[in-house]
Amino acid sequence: QKNGKAVVKWPAVQGADSYTVYVSKNADRGYQKAAQTSGTSAAIAKYAGTKLKAGKTYYIKVTAEMTRNHETYTVSSSSAKVKMKSRS
């Protein structure tokens, strides 16, 4: 966590053209797109139009996508539980 943002990093997936980061308050449902990047990290400050809140737990899911012949495929997906630190 840095300056009220969740900094998410992941290893590169061979063949991936882009990565999409999703956030939810529930591990099983409600994931909403928070960022898309071609790199292997993202700083997430908002989820579903509201700022991430100190002391709250969020679930982050990252999918790796590749595009071939004008079709996009998800080639990998992983998730993690993140608790935002309380402000001092």
Side-chain angles (χ1 to χ4, degrees):
Q1 176 181 333
K2 186 175 182 179
N3 297 327
K5 297 179 182 181
V7 178
V8 184
K9 298 178 181 181
W10 55 89
V13 174
Q14 185 175 358
D17 299 313
S18 64
Y19 301 89
T20 304
V21 182
Y22 300 90
V23 180
S24 177
K25 292 181 185 177
N26 186 298
D28 301 319
R29 64 183 184 282
Y31 284 89
Q32 302 234 352
K33 183 177 175 179
Q36 187 163 18
T37 181
S38 60
T40 57
S41 67
I44 308 300
K46 289 185 176 185
Y47 147 73
T50 60
K51 290 183 179 181
L52 298 181
K53 295 186 173 132
K56 296 288 184 183
T57 298
Y58 297 93
Y59 297 86
I60 311 278
K61 179 165 65 171
V62 178
T63 61
E65 293 98 16
M66 67 186 318
T67 302
R68 300 293 180 264
N69 299 321
H70 306 290
E71 296 283 335
T72 301
Y73 303 93
T74 298
V75 293
S76 180
S77 178
S78 63
S79 59
K81 180 178 175 180
V82 176
K83 182 168 184 176
M84 297 294 286
K85 293 178 184 175
S86 296
R87 293 187 184 116
S88 302

